[in-house]
Amino acid sequence: MNRTPIDDATFAQIADHFQYDANLPLESAVIGTWSSRLPYAIDKVEYGSIRGERVPAYFYHPLEEVEGPHPTVLLLHGANDFWGKNEDWAMEWSDILARQNWCVLCADNPGHGERKKAGQPFVFEMDTYTRRDHVVQTIVDQRRGIDYLLSRPEVDDSRIAAMGGSLGGYYGAILSGVENRMMAVVLTVTRGWPMDQATDDPIVRFSHTLNFAPRISAPTLMVNAVGDGRENGEELFNVVPEPKQQIWHESNHYLPPSEYNEDILAWLGERFS
């Protein structure tokens, strides 16, 4: 089975699926703001994407008296069904970052959180062509999330990072392969995926992390759990361009942010100081 990343010409054809009209109206809205009992504010927001989709998200940002603009993380949640942006991993990381005067945007991906529909299958249980459309929608939604961040005065547009965990790390690798507006990328508990399919498979290649990771243009940190197995984590890391770093923890798949944050915060701090 071929696990070699596809060539540049083939990748260019695939990457075209993830392009969108930059002039598409964002039509963003702040639905409400929570600024009580916390040292930062949380805006519930939404913004427009392709196919008429509206993307619900939380935008965490320092209070007005904290001088900005601020470094920012586009946070990609994992596979969590109806929890979406409300999952514990995403909310804990958002709190950790916001307490250090970072902005954070975490949106519900299609099929998650407020966008979960009754009877909707998980992405890897969808038929091949539906899954392709689902992945494309997810990545463009996140690219539109960057458009939204650039519209916020609190955000330092020269200091934007993407960070994803588990399924969010999978999407983060794909996003970072087609999007160059991030200055840093953090991929946690992710790997060369799908693990049992070839990179040149005519259907799978459009969403195979081994095809996108070599095109990442920002410094990359991978943080993985030994319990997931080293082989596929190392496989993905090996195709990521320099500069890069990989950290392994003696843990199972889930890395609680309260326990596993120091290495990531230090790495981000070095790049955005």
Side-chain angles (χ1 to χ4, degrees):
M1 179 175 57
N2 183 20
R3 302 283 288 181
T4 303
I6 55 177
D7 62 78
D8 289 344
T10 304
F11 180 77
Q13 297 175 0
I14 292 169
D16 195 52
H17 285 274
F18 300 91
Q19 304 307 312
Y20 65 96
D21 181 0
N23 295 316
L24 183 69
L26 194 60
E27 297 180 334
S28 62
V30 175
I31 297 169
T33 300
W34 179 258
S35 58
S36 302
R37 302 204 305 269
L38 291 169
Y40 54 85
I42 306 173
D43 293 351
K44 180 174 171 55
V45 305
E46 65 177 25
Y47 56 86
S49 187
I50 59 172
R51 301 189 178 95
E53 288 285 323
R54 298 290 293 170
V55 182
Y58 293 143
F59 177 65
Y60 297 70
H61 56 95
L63 299 175
E64 290 183 359
E65 56 265 29
V66 181
E67 185 177 358
H70 306 282
T72 299
V73 168
L74 179 73
L75 195 65
L76 287 77
H77 67 71
N80 57 41
D81 203 62
F82 61 85
W83 290 104
K85 60 187 179 298
N86 289 308
E87 74 168 351
D88 50 359
W89 182 87
M91 296 190 76
E92 287 178 27
W93 260 117
S94 296
D95 178 73
I96 289 168
L97 291 162
R99 287 178 183 274
Q100 299 200 24
N101 294 326
W102 287 62
C103 295
V104 181
L105 182 70
C106 188
D108 283 333
N109 284 325
H112 293 83
E114 296 179 58
R115 303 173 78 185
K116 173 73 176 181
K117 297 180 174 63
Q120 186 176 29
F122 178 55
V123 57
F124 294 116
E125 297 172 348
M126 296 174 177
D127 70 79
T128 302
Y129 298 102
T130 302
R131 184 168 74 244
R132 179 174 63 186
D133 291 343
H134 182 94
V135 172
V136 169
Q137 183 74 51
T138 300
I139 300 307
V140 176
D141 289 350
Q142 293 293 340
R143 298 189 72 185
R144 294 290 282 169
I146 298 175
D147 293 343
Y148 178 74
L149 289 174
L150 296 178
S151 76
R152 297 286 308 221
E154 302 92 339
V155 171
D156 182 343
D157 59 12
S158 69
R159 294 189 292 169
I160 296 176
M163 180 163 72
S166 191
L167 182 65
Y170 165 79
Y171 286 136
I174 297 173
L175 170 69
S176 304
V178 297
E179 174 62 69
N180 61 10
R181 290 178 291 179
M182 287 93 67
M183 300 300 110
V185 176
V186 180
L187 307 175
T188 74
V189 290
T190 193
R191 61 193 85 173
W193 188 271
M195 293 188 294
D196 59 351
Q197 292 178 286
T199 51
D200 57 359
D201 181 287
I203 302 300
V204 176
R205 63 187 182 181
F206 77 93
S207 59
H208 205 302
T209 57
L210 292 178
N211 289 333
F212 290 81
R215 280 80 189 184
I216 296 176
S217 59
T220 302
L221 174 66
M222 287 183 59
V223 181
N224 279 323
V226 173
D228 276 343
R230 282 183 175 267
E231 182 178 355
N232 290 100
E234 295 288 357
E235 181 185 37
L236 183 62
F237 180 73
N238 288 339
V239 302
V240 173
E242 296 284 356
K244 60 183 176 180
Q245 180 181 352
Q246 181 161 226
I247 297 170
W248 287 95
H249 289 292
E250 295 289 341
S251 174
N252 292 320
H253 181 69
Y254 182 65
L255 298 177
S258 59
E259 300 175 36
Y260 299 94
N261 65 60
E262 291 185 4
D263 291 334
I264 293 174
L265 291 175
W267 187 87
L268 286 171
E270 289 174 3
R271 274 136 199 88
F272 287 173
S273 59

